[in-house]
Amino acid sequence: MMKGWYKVMRENERNHQIHEAEDEKFLPLYSAMSGVGQELLSDIYCYTNQIVNVVFVGDPETTSDWIMIDTGMPGSYQRLRQVAIDRFGENNPPQAIILTHGHFDHVGAVVDLVKEWGVSVYAHEAELPYLTGRESYPDPDGTVEGGLVAKMSPIFPNEPINLGTHIKPLPRDGRIPHMSEWRWVHTPGHAPGHISLFRESDRTLIAGDVFVNVKQESLYKVLTQKREINGPPRYLTTDWVAAKRSVEKVAALKPSVAVAGHGHPVMGEELADGLEKLVNEFDERAIPDYGKYLN
Ligand SMILES: [Zn+2]
Ligand SMILES: [Zn+2]
């Protein structure tokens, strides 16, 4: 099952150049991993778009069916579309798109992808107001303890997108449409309807931003992608009590492989130790010393 682990594939250089300018128009934030795809398992392909990970689930060797988890930064539509074509072929849209939550760096391409593919998008019902134009997320906290990315966060968009009739709530019983082996787990705190996806058979976790494997507030660490299992990005996390419980919840699943929304995928002992440490030291390491969402 671990075949293909860390097989790093650099994206076709030509596509890279075409779309570079387009992405930069939005936020000139690039990590060392931007534009790199990794096949973690034969059916889990993790692609880093600027600073955020998009997961393509489906084994192109054995099936034409696939699912997209999250949709990158604003301006990433052409890029992600090309990654999908490179992996799953022309004219082969996914069965569905699943969103771990609705923050701007996870829904960047979703409106354009849905226009092209006509597929349904699923998210937790508590995220629906932010995905149907009804409510904005609270403002990112630029005053929160942390580095330059935190200070830049007030310029991040927090207006809702509107997916209209394409967005549907996930079934309440934990099932995920078109992903029969998987279950969703409610992991609020970073966003009210935040979810993580878990596959029991090989203990694969698609975590979203419940924890990240980089210190997301620090520009240096984001750009270099220094590995470090940490709590959710501080500038957008509004409920730290729930955020802590959510980390405990995913740690209790004892995942063997995890892809988080930001940073490198992590597995085995590094993952187990990192999660245990984060649970034990959550108050000191994850929760900021100051910031407007602390009480
Ligand atoms: Zn987020
Ligand atoms: Zn994020």
Side-chain angles (χ1 to χ4, degrees):
M1 200 61 186
M2 291 296 168
K3 164 185 97 122
W5 170 257
Y6 266 71
K7 191 166 80 184
V8 175
M9 281 157 288
R10 197 153 271 279
E11 200 190 350
N12 175 318
E13 272 307 311
R14 195 175 54 88
N15 290 327
H16 200 73
Q17 282 159 8
I18 291 173
H19 301 303
E20 195 83 13
E22 188 183 324
D23 286 357
E24 270 176 3
K25 261 189 276 169
F26 183 70
L27 274 178
L29 267 179
Y30 276 89
S31 74
M33 293 298 287
S34 182
V36 174
Q38 306 177 52
E39 191 177 80
L40 305 189
L41 302 168
S42 58
D43 70 343
I44 302 283
Y45 185 76
C46 171
Y47 178 82
T48 306
N49 166 236
Q50 293 186 260
I51 56 161
V52 69
N53 297 321
V54 178
V55 187
F56 297 77
V57 180
D59 183 348
E61 302 285 321
T62 59
T63 170
S64 59
D65 292 356
W66 65 282
I67 302 287
M68 188 167 183
I69 318 291
D70 288 344
T71 61
M73 293 283 275
S76 64
Y77 159 63
Q78 295 286 356
R79 176 87 58 106
L80 295 182
R81 177 183 180 276
Q82 191 59 48
V83 174
I85 291 172
D86 291 347
R87 187 158 172 86
F88 297 102
E90 202 86 51
N91 301 318
N92 183 25
Q95 269 52 57
I97 296 172
I98 315 289
L99 297 175
T100 59
H101 62 306
H103 285 156
F104 78 99
D105 51 335
H106 298 253
V107 302
V110 73
V111 170
D112 289 323
L113 290 173
V114 161
K115 253 185 231 161
E116 170 164 346
W117 291 335
V119 296
S120 291
V121 182
Y122 294 90
H124 189 277
E125 58 188 329
E127 289 297 286
L128 262 47
Y130 313 107
L131 299 166
T132 51
R134 280 182 283 144
E135 242 176 85
S136 294
Y137 284 109
D139 290 332
D141 182 6
T143 67
V144 75
E145 180 202 1
L148 198 54
V149 176
K151 292 200 172 50
M152 285 169 72
S153 65
I155 65 166
F156 296 167
N158 67 332
E159 313 74 46
I161 57 166
N162 192 350
L163 285 163
T165 55
H166 286 286
I167 182 79
K168 299 189 169 75
L170 284 159
R172 289 198 172 150
D173 60 5
R175 280 179 306 117
I176 306 173
H178 308 286
M179 296 180 81
S180 57
E181 290 180 89
W182 295 77
R183 290 287 176 274
W184 62 265
V185 184
H186 190 203
T187 44
H190 178 64
H194 189 285
I195 61 151
S196 305
L197 294 78
F198 185 64
R199 178 165 62 189
E200 178 86 41
S201 60
D202 62 353
R203 318 204 77 73
T204 300
L205 179 73
I206 299 173
D209 287 355
V210 64
F211 63 84
V212 298
N213 193 22
V214 63
K215 196 159 164 39
Q216 187 66 17
E217 299 81 23
S218 155
L219 185 60
Y220 173 75
K221 288 178 179 173
V222 167
L223 297 183
T224 56
Q225 297 281 284
K226 181 177 162 9
R227 303 159 83 100
E228 179 174 338
I229 294 188
N230 217 312
R234 288 172 170 174
Y235 42 87
L236 288 170
T237 300
T238 47
D239 182 343
W240 285 100
V241 176
K244 183 178 181 177
R245 267 199 308 261
S246 293
V247 168
E248 290 166 350
K249 205 190 251 186
V250 294
L253 295 172
K254 305 240 171 286
S256 62
V257 185
V259 187
H262 305 273
H264 289 275
V266 53
M267 65 184 293
E269 231 166 274
E270 185 189 2
L271 175 60
D273 293 351
L275 279 179
E276 193 189 321
K277 216 167 149 229
L278 180 58
V279 165
N280 293 334
E281 300 168 7
F282 193 88
D283 294 353
E284 304 87 76
R285 285 211 298 133
I287 301 179
D289 286 343
Y290 52 87
K292 68 178 175 184
Y293 295 121
L294 281 177
N295 299 304

